[in-house]
Structure formats: structure tokens, C-alpha cells
Amino acid sequence: MDMTTVGDTGLLDTLQHEVALFARRAEQTRLGGVGQVRNSMDRAAYLLLNRLDKEGPMGVKALAASMGIDSSTVTRQVAPLVDTGLVKRTSHPEDGRAVVLQLSPRGQTRLEEVRSSRRQLMAELTHDWEPEEREAFCDLLTRFNTALSARMSAQGVPGPEAQPTS
């Protein structure tokens, strides 16, 4: 089925244009947040720390699989987080040769600072929205990201985060 014939092509044109603008603006601002913490953590670091916080300590392969990226990418992205003390490398309790990555107390504090700053930005950007509009936007954006992730997976393209991070 030719998806361009589904619905109003004008609406689909507007949707693709708005998604492109969103992507550009998100990258330009990095949707970092507000205050002193604004733009102080790149997207890759935020997603890695968030995943470790949500799922707990894990090895590089498990973290890579959980995020839909390859192990070499995780290794490269986690190195500066270890160097700055945001992530700890420890030995696996059952296999001392394996490495387990864990959010450090400093990483937990830093992640919460960034989350708080980003929450404040989202509140400012949607201050005149009704709670139902915020919820609907979140639901639709989650649905859109899930569909995009599924499409990428079906095409064999690894992508970031298949699941929402809340």
C-alpha cells in the first residue's frame, strides 16, 4: 500500500516538515534544560545514565542490547562517563573477568540535576497546555518513536532506545 495516499497528503507534508523542524531544533538546543545545568549533558550520556538508573547495573553487551546500539558504541560512549566518575566499572560477581557498569552516586546526583532541568524546560514549553494535551502529546510521541524504532529494527538498522525512559 502506498502510504502517501492514506489520508490528506497536505497533512502528511505538514507532519514530515514539523518532524524535521523538531529534529533540527532538538539538536540545536539539545533540549538540554534550563538554568546552570542547561545543555550540560549530551544525549548519549543522558540516555546511558538513564538506562543504568532504570535497569540497574549491567554488562556492556546487555546495555548495548537494551539500547539498540552495538557494544563498541557503548564502550566508546561510557569511557568518558567512567573517567568523570558518573559510572563505575566493577567485576561481575559470578564471573570476575566480566565488567559490570553501574551508575555511581555522583552519576545519580548528576542525572537527577539534568532530569530536573529538562522537566523544567518541558514545563515551560507546555505551560499553556491543558494536562490532557501534555498527556496526549506524550502518548503520541511515544507511539511515533515506537513505530520509528520498529521500522528501523525491521530494516536491520540499530537505533537508540526502543523503550521510553520516562
Side-chain angles (χ1 to χ4, degrees):
M1 172 184 248
D2 180 6
M3 293 305 287
T4 60
T5 61
V6 175
D8 179 7
T9 58
L11 181 61
L12 294 175
D13 285 345
T14 300
L15 178 60
Q16 69 80 23
H17 179 75
E18 291 300 324
V19 168
L21 283 176
F22 174 77
R24 181 192 309 148
R25 289 189 177 118
E27 191 56 37
Q28 286 172 336
T29 65
R30 294 166 56 211
L31 287 181
V34 295
Q36 286 186 314
V37 185
R38 183 181 178 281
N39 292 335
S40 63
M41 183 178 290
D42 69 40
R43 180 179 53 237
Y46 177 78
L47 292 173
L48 285 167
L49 294 177
N50 196 57
R51 184 55 57 122
L52 287 172
D53 182 49
K54 297 289 185 194
E55 295 186 17
M58 65 182 78
V60 170
K61 286 183 182 179
L63 183 56
S66 171
M67 296 184 68
I69 57 180
D70 64 53
S71 295
S72 64
T73 301
V74 167
T75 299
R76 186 178 66 253
Q77 291 176 347
V78 114
L81 301 176
V82 171
D83 292 344
T84 58
L86 300 178
V87 171
K88 295 188 306 187
R89 278 189 182 119
T90 59
S91 296
H92 192 282
E94 296 166 12
D95 179 0
R97 298 169 296 168
V99 173
V100 174
L101 301 171
Q102 179 177 358
L103 196 60
S104 71
R106 181 174 180 212
Q108 183 67 56
T109 299
R110 193 72 190 90
L111 179 60
E112 190 46 47
E113 290 171 350
V114 171
R115 279 181 181 154
S116 177
S117 174
R118 291 178 178 195
R119 273 192 301 271
Q120 186 177 346
L121 175 62
M122 293 300 111
E124 287 178 15
L125 293 174
T126 62
H127 77 277
D128 58 346
W129 295 19
E130 294 297 323
E132 299 80 23
E133 291 174 311
R134 284 181 178 172
E135 190 171 329
F137 181 71
C138 188
D139 289 346
L140 290 169
L141 190 55
T142 298
R143 187 172 164 193
F144 183 84
N145 281 327
T146 299
L148 190 55
S149 180
R151 180 177 176 84
M152 291 173 65
S153 290
Q155 294 175 345
V157 178
E161 304 254 26
Q163 300 98 7
T165 56
S166 316

